[in-house]
Amino acid sequence: MIGPDIAGIAEKLGAAADDATAIPQLAAETGLDVDAAYAVQTALVKRRLDRGERLVGLKMGLTSKAKMAQVGVDEVIWGRLTDVMRVPDGGGVDVGDFIHPRVEPEVAFLLDRLPDPGEPVGSFTRAVRAVAPAIELIDSRYANFTFSLPDVIADNTSAAAFVVGPWSPVPDGLDNLGVLLEIDGRVAQVGSTAAILGDPRRALDEGLRLAGRHGVRLRKGWVFLAGAATAAVPLRPGAHVRATVEKLGSASMKALP
Ligand code: OOG
Ligand code: MG
């Protein structure tokens, strides 16, 4: 049997992102399963690397019930971050560069000494040098921000841009910190880091395990996004966005008018 056209699907998704134009879902029609979807993601990210982008991190998706419920997919997923996706703290994006961007509050880890493939994290403070509040801008390439599990995996888990706030040393507890997403100074989402797999440190175990299954090794110096604690909110032109995590401070960005 001839399998799905991995390169062709990656090209469609890449062009949709480049042109900021939504496409129909394609997993059902092309017979894409989860493994083939990660192969598409690899090809899609390679397309970026081939034009000079650098891998700078890994992001987890759907690590909270709020996110799973919002998109109707209930499996933890992971995707890749490149340097071009990074927006400086306080920086701006143009909504026109995206299809239907949403923002969500995240916790970022700065990776340090990681275990060998297949080994558990062991000491979190050895594996993670610092933590920071962060904002992820997600932008599904599928019409109506609607997708199946293999669809969203193939689409690099909707990754589009991210902002990392100031790094702090790892605090004693990360498992029950208040999380706030503000738009133009008004509270848009409230949550707790406990929503992230019970403790965001678990997201790193999951990331190592799930990415390791596909032969992907996390690297020292990479940024790791543990997944949003709350649902995501549409990003409108001119909006000022701030994500605050108790004890860690805030990350912010704005959308150009
Ligand atoms: C998929 C990406 C999910 C998160 O933090 O849960 C994600 C999506 O919601 O489009 O990044
Ligand atoms: Mg996210």
Side-chain angles (χ1 to χ4, degrees):
M1 200 194 107
I2 301 173
D5 174 13
I6 303 294
I9 297 170
E11 185 51 41
K12 267 191 197 156
L13 283 162
D18 291 347
D19 305 342
T21 305
I23 56 171
Q25 292 179 60
L26 37 76
E29 177 192 316
T30 57
L32 210 60
D33 63 11
V34 165
D35 283 339
Y38 276 113
V40 171
Q41 185 191 119
T42 300
L44 178 63
V45 173
K46 183 173 180 297
R47 192 176 172 277
R48 284 176 171 267
L49 304 184
D50 286 347
R51 61 186 189 203
E53 297 183 33
R54 267 184 324 108
L55 271 184
V56 296
L58 200 96
K59 59 155 286 186
M60 301 307 288
L62 312 183
T63 50
S64 69
K65 293 235 158 56
K67 284 287 311 181
M68 288 178 173
Q70 185 176 31
V71 297
V73 174
D74 58 3
E75 300 269 346
V76 174
I77 55 179
W78 58 275
R80 279 101 154 181
L81 302 172
T82 76
D83 58 339
V84 166
M85 298 178 189
R86 188 156 181 172
V87 175
D89 190 16
V93 297
D94 188 341
V95 172
D97 290 343
F98 306 99
I99 301 166
H100 35 208
R102 294 178 178 176
V103 285
E104 54 189 23
E106 298 258 353
V107 181
F109 301 154
L110 181 59
L111 300 183
D112 194 359
R113 287 169 295 169
L114 295 160
D116 287 333
E119 296 294 317
V121 178
S123 160
F124 184 80
T125 45
R126 202 181 137 83
V128 171
R129 194 185 325 156
V131 296
I135 299 167
E136 188 181 19
L137 187 161
I138 51 173
D139 190 35
S140 176
R141 267 53 70 164
Y142 303 111
N144 305 316
F145 224 110
T146 303
F147 42 72
S148 66
L149 173 65
D151 275 312
V152 66
I153 290 169
D155 186 26
N156 195 22
T157 65
S158 309
F162 66 101
V163 179
V164 178
W167 293 110
S168 308
V170 180
D172 281 342
L174 266 182
D175 55 323
N176 196 14
L177 304 178
V179 173
L180 204 62
L181 181 71
E182 286 165 285
I183 309 282
D184 297 328
R186 283 194 203 91
V187 176
Q189 293 285 339
V190 196
S192 159
T193 56
I196 306 164
L197 298 174
D199 183 331
R201 285 176 290 203
R202 270 194 207 122
L204 183 58
D205 295 285
E206 284 299 288
L208 287 163
R209 193 174 67 78
L210 295 173
R213 245 190 227 171
H214 295 271
V216 173
R217 266 193 96 158
L218 280 58
R219 304 280 168 190
K220 184 175 179 158
W222 274 13
V223 170
F224 179 92
L225 297 181
T230 73
V233 171
L235 180 67
R236 312 272 181 226
H240 284 67
V241 181
R242 181 160 63 183
T244 303
V245 181
E246 187 185 348
K247 286 193 194 167
L248 305 185
S250 303
S252 65
M253 59 168 286
K254 50 188 181 288
L256 303 179

